[in-house]
Amino acid sequence: MMMNQQTLDLRMKAFRSRCAERGLAMTHQRWVIYRIMAGTAQHPTPEETFAQVRKEIPSISLATIYKNIKTFLDAGLLREVSTPDQTMRLDANLESHHHLICASCGKILDIPEDSVVPVHLKKPLPKGFRVESYNVSFLGFCGQCGPGVQAST
Amino acid sequence: MMMNQQTLDLRMKAFRSRCAERGLAMTHQRWVIYRIMAGTAQHPTPEETFAQVRKEIPSISLATIYKNIKTFLDAGLLREVSTPDQTMRLDANLESHHHLICASCGKILDIPEDSVVPVHLKKPLPKGFRVESYNVSFLGFCGQCGPGVQAST
DNA sequence: TTAACTGCAAAGCCTTTGCAACACG
DNA sequence: CGTGTTGCAAAGGCTTTGCAGTTAA
């Protein structure tokens, strides 16, 4: 996960203009929150993001994390992932993709769209329904868990 | 949705033995909760279920609904559906199936497994991951909503 | 009869909101 | 400078828990 200063500057510039396009101020907090979310494939919860951001901005509050997550969702900079968890999980990967979910530890891995043969419907949909997109969730067990193995804490 | 007394008796018997198999007492509350959940394809929330059950058992408490939902989930009589909502949605349809989700009003419709051509992976999975099942969520707009149309309350 | 279940009320999360001080543009 | 943003604290939902009384088997 090495990243040099130049790359970071470029990303910050890109983020700054994406904010500008939407009339959002580019604050230090926003940049750190976004950089951390976009820098992980872990689909972090607000709480996990808070913990990470706090390492850089100890004074940040959880409310700011929540407010900005909402702002980013509205702006289309983040997406919410559906999981059986009772807490929100976020995804900064805006490309169309699918998910691999470990039934034991809950870990979610992304699968690129082109790893899956396009899904077809064999039968007509209920009348009037128009499909815009679809998402496949594969449920199974990751290497660390394996079926029958208890979830590690 | 007509159902005669005989059919109901049969279902109740079936439910009673399913409870017995798992060492669960067959209470009036449990039967009504289960019957109502199994009698709808609407993937009800605990609150919606509470409202329905209350019509028959006005004294029931929301805590009893929650406790029994948990009991049924553990017993495998219900499943939890993943949605972008922040509230739990339940499904008494235990057959393998897929979902059609209206992006506007949030309604979820079931699609039988055999309406979808089996999904294939073109590329290998991350090392060690074993897939047990998968679920396809189609996102779109139902007949009542249509894109661009405001969600009705 | 006895273990399990119910209903109530209180507590526990996660998330949102109101407001004064502060920062971006 | 003015609007938008932050941090704090309090409030709001949804869900869980503890307990005394009740019920199924």
Side-chain angles (χ1 to χ4, degrees):
Chain A
M1 280 300 167
M2 281 276 66
M3 189 176 297
N4 64 36
Q5 192 55 44
Q6 199 182 356
T7 309
L8 260 182
D9 284 350
L10 281 172
R11 298 205 176 186
M12 190 163 118
K13 248 180 193 157
F15 180 68
R16 186 186 295 279
S17 46
R18 290 222 262 174
C19 285
E21 284 165 18
R22 292 157 231 248
L24 299 175
M26 206 295 257
T27 65
H28 181 51
Q29 287 87 337
R30 277 197 181 144
W31 165 234
V32 176
I33 293 169
Y34 180 78
R35 172 163 49 73
I36 281 176
M37 292 200 134
T40 178
Q42 300 302 306
H43 309 282
T45 62
E47 203 70 47
E48 286 161 0
T49 307
F50 179 50
Q52 287 300 115
V53 174
R54 223 178 189 182
K55 291 179 187 168
E56 293 188 40
I57 313 177
S59 63
I60 200 164
S61 88
L62 187 52
T64 299
I65 304 286
Y66 274 104
K67 282 172 188 165
N68 282 307
I69 284 172
K70 195 158 210 195
T71 302
F72 292 157
L73 286 172
D74 289 349
L77 263 49
L78 286 182
R79 277 197 215 157
E80 196 171 343
V81 181
S82 301
T83 77
D85 291 15
Q86 58 266 17
T87 173
M88 199 189 287
R89 284 183 167 275
L90 300 148
D91 195 343
N93 176 359
L94 298 177
E95 320 243 311
S96 183
H97 63 277
H98 303 291
H99 288 130
L100 212 49
I101 303 172
C102 177
S104 178
C105 67
K107 183 173 5 183
I108 304 173
L109 302 171
D110 286 352
I111 309 180
E113 165 103 85
D114 68 2
S115 283
V116 174
V117 176
V119 172
H120 292 294
L121 285 163
K122 282 195 291 199
K123 305 194 178 169
L125 289 174
K127 209 162 148 294
F129 207 103
R130 301 212 294 112
V131 169
E132 299 281 316
S133 65
Y134 64 86
N135 174 274
V136 185
S137 295
F138 296 91
L139 196 68
F141 297 91
C142 72
Q144 282 83 61
C145 292
V149 176
Q150 286 303 311
S152 62
T153 49
Chain B
M1 278 303 163
M2 282 275 64
M3 189 176 299
N4 63 35
Q5 192 53 45
Q6 197 180 1
T7 309
L8 260 182
D9 285 349
L10 281 172
R11 297 203 178 191
M12 189 162 118
K13 247 181 193 157
F15 180 68
R16 185 186 294 278
S17 47
R18 291 222 262 174
C19 284
E21 283 165 18
R22 290 158 233 249
L24 300 175
M26 208 294 257
T27 65
H28 181 51
Q29 287 88 335
R30 278 198 180 142
W31 164 235
V32 176
I33 294 169
Y34 181 77
R35 171 162 52 70
I36 282 177
M37 293 200 136
T40 176
Q42 299 303 307
H43 308 283
T45 62
E47 204 69 46
E48 286 161 359
T49 307
F50 180 50
Q52 287 300 114
V53 174
R54 223 178 189 181
K55 291 179 187 166
E56 293 187 40
I57 312 177
S59 63
I60 200 165
S61 88
L62 186 52
T64 299
I65 304 285
Y66 274 104
K67 282 172 188 164
N68 282 307
I69 284 173
K70 196 157 210 199
T71 302
F72 291 157
L73 287 172
D74 289 348
L77 262 49
L78 285 182
R79 277 196 215 161
E80 194 171 347
V81 181
S82 300
T83 78
D85 290 17
Q86 57 268 14
T87 174
M88 200 191 284
R89 283 181 167 278
L90 300 149
D91 194 343
N93 176 0
L94 298 178
E95 319 243 312
S96 184
H97 62 280
H98 304 291
H99 288 130
L100 214 48
I101 303 172
C102 176
S104 179
C105 66
K107 184 174 4 188
I108 304 172
L109 301 172
D110 286 352
I111 309 179
E113 165 104 83
D114 68 1
S115 283
V116 174
V117 176
V119 171
H120 291 293
L121 286 162
K122 283 195 289 198
K123 304 193 178 170
L125 289 174
K127 206 164 148 297
F129 207 103
R130 300 213 295 116
V131 169
E132 299 281 317
S133 65
Y134 65 87
N135 175 273
V136 185
S137 294
F138 295 90
L139 196 68
F141 296 92
C142 71
Q144 281 84 61
C145 293
V149 176
Q150 285 303 311
S152 60
T153 51

